[in-house]
């Protein structure tokens, strides 16, 4: 059986990230769900991951380049998985008096550029609140599932077990 090229797999990953971001925007703008700060950070992780995958798709690298793009994408997916795992943990262990982002924003506001970042990421939703589910999984749980899928796929690509180099 012939494997798809790394270029095709990178593009497919970019398309998935784009679809996930589009769906998040749909849930916010059309359905009216307010994203929490962790939701916004997970969006940033999906955007970064998608941009790395798009760069890999446009470049169409050989073996070493595929490993490099897959490695960078793995790091982005691991960061996203960590954020999503923290979000899921907060949903299952809500603390009544603790916000998910209080200390984060306080630290960011101490830096001049931090104010700009804090304003860009500021959201009104509560991280422990579950507003929407599909197949009994919350948005945070679905994010975690997708980030884990990306980690596994990118590790397989980096190991040369998935995708062939574009020549």
């Amino acid at each position: 059986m012939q494997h798809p090229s790394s270029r095709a797999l990178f593009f497919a990953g970019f398309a998935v990230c784009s679809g996930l971001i589009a769906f998040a925007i749909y849930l916010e703008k059309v359905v009216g769900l307010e994203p929490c700060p962790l939701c916004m950070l997970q969006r940033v992780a999906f955007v970064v991951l998608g941009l790395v995958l798009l760069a890999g798709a446009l470049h169409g690298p050989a073996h070493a380049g595929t490993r490099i793009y897959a490695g960078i994408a793995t790091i982005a997916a691991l960061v996203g998985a960590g954020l999503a795992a923290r979000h899921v943990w907060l949903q299952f262990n809500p603390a009544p008096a603790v916000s998910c982002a209080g200390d984060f924003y306080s630290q960011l506001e101490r830096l001049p550029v931090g104010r700009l970042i804090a304003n860009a990421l500021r959201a009104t939703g509560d991280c422990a609140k579950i507003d929407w589910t599909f197949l009994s999984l919350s948005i945070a749980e679905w994010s975690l599932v997708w980030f884990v899928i990306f980690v596994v796929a990118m590790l397989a690509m980096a190991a040369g077990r998935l995708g062939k180099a574009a020549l």
Side-chain angles (χ1 to χ4, degrees):
M1 183 173 119
Q2 189 172 359
H3 292 289
S5 70
S6 60
R7 175 177 275 180
L9 292 172
F10 283 140
F11 185 75
F14 166 74
V16 169
C17 286
S18 298
L20 291 169
I21 291 297
F23 188 66
I25 292 169
Y26 167 81
L27 288 175
E28 179 182 353
K29 302 295 183 188
V30 176
V31 177
L33 298 180
E34 292 290 333
C36 72
L38 282 174
C39 291
M40 296 301 288
L41 291 173
Q42 288 168 67
R43 286 185 192 185
V44 170
F46 275 122
V47 168
V48 170
L49 176 59
L51 290 174
V52 170
L53 296 172
L54 178 61
L58 294 175
H59 180 207
H63 299 290
T66 296
R67 287 187 169 97
I68 291 169
Y69 282 111
I72 295 169
T74 299
I75 292 168
L78 283 170
V79 168
L83 291 166
R86 171 70 175 154
H87 198 171
V88 170
W89 185 86
L90 284 171
Q91 288 179 339
F92 283 98
N93 302 290
V98 179
S99 170
C100 60
D103 291 343
F104 176 75
Y105 285 127
S106 298
Q107 292 174 10
L108 281 177
E109 288 178 354
R110 291 185 189 130
L111 303 171
V113 74
R115 289 196 178 121
L116 181 64
I117 294 169
N119 288 339
L121 297 178
R122 197 167 310 275
T124 60
D126 176 11
C127 292
K129 188 176 173 187
I130 298 175
D131 291 324
W132 184 89
T133 61
F134 178 69
L135 299 177
S136 299
L137 295 178
S138 69
I139 297 170
E141 290 168 317
W142 277 112
S143 290
L144 182 57
V145 166
W146 279 108
F147 281 125
V148 169
I149 288 170
F150 276 113
V151 167
V152 170
M154 292 301 107
L155 287 175
M157 284 184 76
R161 299 198 179 271
L162 183 62
K164 60 180 180 175
L167 298 175

